């Protein structure tokens, strides 16, 4: 029997902080499934909601159970829930696309303009239970660990960014070694990149980059640009993955890419960034690709394939395991950048 009440991490009111509270177990609609959460992981977005940045203040309507990366077991399935049954071990595509707009109907649901995000626009997964549309449930192999299953969603961002063009036999620079940047390092290696240069300002995260296969992990405050250009015989790298959102890294991104190269951007600058479009992009013949979400569901199949191939191991990136009650400790680690992925167990 599913209980009526559960513990959950709630953004109670606008402003910094969150509270562990007892709330109603969410009601699942006819096309939904209710999932008993086995593991959930902290995303940068969750930290933004916790610390209440400008974006959160404009988007999130408290009170809200937040959190969106999770895995768990289906405990109830509505009569119209297709393809999922009670007992299934699932994760979720967290972007609930409308399914009817031009973009959804032309295979581009990842940029649906009517999207609702779990844990941002509707109750999330930092809780004992979460209700999601059955359509958004992703079946996991029963032998996958709950923590790896939970982090497949951000891993999908990394896969989407890294594999939005060719990387096999190519040189790659990953600017920004937050968890998704670190995953991108691992994905590029797994996909056969010739060399992966990673930059960040945190020694802790540069060590993690080395642990998942970075050829070189370089302090971004030094002359990272010269070091990477030298390492590529003055040419620059074939592929730049901008994962930091730092205006300085973006400035480097154009110059680090070889002429004719690709720059894929997942990092989100907090304000508009100036670009010398003619010299940095046009005359260099760059392909620039903005990345949002995961392709539904191409990216998820690639994530599954990479993990099952045995070539991609993201477990070194799970650096902390906490009880849900200890979320404050997790948020402190996030603020300090002294972590890879933090997984919590409700
Ligand atoms: Zn749509």
């Amino acid at each position: 029997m599913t209980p009526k009440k559960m513990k959950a991490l709630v953004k109670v009111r606008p402003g910094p902080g969150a509270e562990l509270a007892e709330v109603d177990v969410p009601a699942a609609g006819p096309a939904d499934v209710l999932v008993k959460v086995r593991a959930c992981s902290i995303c940068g977005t969750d930290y933004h909601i916790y610390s209440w940045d400008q974006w959160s203040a404009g988007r999130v309507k408290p009170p809200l159970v937040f959190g969106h990366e999770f895995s768990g077991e289906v405990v109830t399935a509505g009569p119209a829930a297709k393809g999922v049954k009670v007992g299934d071990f699932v994760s979720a595509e967290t972007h609930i696309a409308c399914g009817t707009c031009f973009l959804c109907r032309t295979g581009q649901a990842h940029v649906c303009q009517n999207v609702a995000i779990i844990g941002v626009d509707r109750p999330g997964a930092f809780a004992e239970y979460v209700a999601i549309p059955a359509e958004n449930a992703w079946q996991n192999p029963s032998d996958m660990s709950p923590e790896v299953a939970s982090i497949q969603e951000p891993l999908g961002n990394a896969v989407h960014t890294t594999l939005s063009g060719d990387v096999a036999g190519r040189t790659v620079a990953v600017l920004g070694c937050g968890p998704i940047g670190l995953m991108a390092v691992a994905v590029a290696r797994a996909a056969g990149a010739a060399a992966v240069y990673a930059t960040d300002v945190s020694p802790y995260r540069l060590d993690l980059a080395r642990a998942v296969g970075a050829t070189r992990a370089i302090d971004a405050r030094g002359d990272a640009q010269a070091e990477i250009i030298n390492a590529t015989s003055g040419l620059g790298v074939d592929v730049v993955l901008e994962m930091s959102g730092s205006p300085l890294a973006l400035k480097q991104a154009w110059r680090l890419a070889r002429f004719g190269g690709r720059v894929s951007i997942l990092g989100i600058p907090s304000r508009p960034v100036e670009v010398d479009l003619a010299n940095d992009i046009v005359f260099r013949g760059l392909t620039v690709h903005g990345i949002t979400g995961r392709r539904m569901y191409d990216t998820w199949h690639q994530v599954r394939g990479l993990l099952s191939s045995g070539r991609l191991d993201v477990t070194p990136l799970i650096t902390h395991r906490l009880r849900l009650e200890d979320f404050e400790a997790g948020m402190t680690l996030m603020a300090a950048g002294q972590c890879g992925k933090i997984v919590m167990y409700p």
Side-chain angles (χ1 to χ4, degrees):
M1 267 298 283
T2 308
K4 294 211 161 23
K5 294 280 185 181
M6 66 174 187
K7 65 182 177 191
L9 203 48
V10 184
K11 185 79 195 177
V12 180
R13 62 189 75 84
E19 285 173 23
L20 191 73
E22 193 178 67
V23 300
D24 290 341
V25 169
D32 293 345
V33 291
L34 185 69
V35 180
K36 187 175 197 325
V37 178
R38 290 175 66 185
C40 50
S41 38
I42 304 177
C43 170
T45 302
D46 302 319
Y47 177 72
H48 291 318
I49 294 172
Y50 173 81
S51 60
W52 205 245
D53 70 352
Q54 212 179 348
W55 169 84
S56 307
R59 174 81 179 248
V60 175
K61 311 244 176 311
L64 177 80
V65 175
F66 62 120
H68 55 274
E69 300 173 5
F70 70 96
S71 68
E73 187 186 326
V74 174
V75 290
T76 57
K82 285 188 210 147
V84 194
K85 59 184 189 311
V86 171
D88 285 354
F89 174 40
V90 299
S91 298
E93 167 52 57
T94 57
H95 290 191
I96 300 170
C98 76
T100 55
C101 73
F102 170 85
L103 294 157
C104 282
R105 298 188 67 170
T106 53
Q108 302 168 87
H110 62 294
V111 284
C112 168
Q113 294 301 287
N114 308 312
V115 71
I117 302 177
I118 296 169
V120 174
D121 304 311
R122 55 182 275 154
F126 288 164
E128 290 178 274
Y129 295 90
V130 60
I132 60 166
E135 203 179 310
N136 284 63
W138 179 256
Q139 300 278 357
N140 295 314
S142 55
D143 62 350
M144 181 178 273
S145 77
E147 54 190 38
V148 169
S150 178
I151 68 169
Q152 286 177 108
E153 194 257 16
L155 179 55
N157 289 122
V159 166
H160 188 190
T161 313
T162 310
L163 303 184
S164 74
D166 202 8
V167 291
R170 307 292 188 187
T171 52
V172 178
V174 178
L175 311 184
C177 292
I180 300 180
L182 291 165
M183 289 171 176
V185 171
V187 169
R189 281 330 289 253
V196 181
Y197 307 99
T199 70
D200 201 275
V201 295
S202 155
Y204 180 92
R205 287 182 160 167
L206 290 172
D207 281 342
L208 281 175
R210 290 182 196 103
V212 291
T215 315
R216 285 196 209 181
I218 307 163
D219 191 323
R221 290 164 302 191
D223 206 347
Q225 188 170 319
E227 187 170 342
I228 295 169
I229 298 286
N230 283 337
T232 50
S233 312
L235 197 61
V237 294
D238 299 304
V239 179
V240 174
L241 309 176
E242 205 313 282
M243 315 301 274
S244 74
S246 147
L248 187 71
L250 262 172
K251 202 167 194 169
Q252 289 181 340
W254 321 122
R255 308 287 170 82
L256 284 172
R258 67 163 167 81
F259 281 69
R262 160 168 71 103
V263 179
S264 291
I265 305 174
L266 183 84
I268 303 166
S270 55
R271 49 179 61 95
V273 169
E274 198 170 272
V275 180
D276 181 352
L277 200 63
N279 290 304
D280 285 346
I281 298 177
V282 178
F283 296 144
R284 298 177 72 85
L286 298 184
T287 299
V288 180
H289 192 177
I291 306 290
T292 184
R294 297 144 296 279
R295 294 195 66 96
M296 296 173 209
Y297 278 82
D298 293 2
T299 306
W300 283 89
H301 284 281
Q302 282 180 299
V303 167
R304 173 182 286 166
L306 283 162
L307 289 173
S308 69
S309 73
R311 297 180 62 89
L312 178 64
D313 179 13
V314 288
T315 52
L317 298 179
I318 301 169
T319 54
H320 296 79
R321 295 163 177 84
L322 304 173
R323 298 180 312 153
L324 189 60
E325 287 81 350
D326 299 326
F327 67 95
E328 299 272 9
M331 294 300 177
T332 304
L333 286 162
M334 291 286 288
Q338 290 293 103
C339 55
K341 281 309 283 188
I342 300 172
V343 178
M344 300 190 294
Y345 300 90

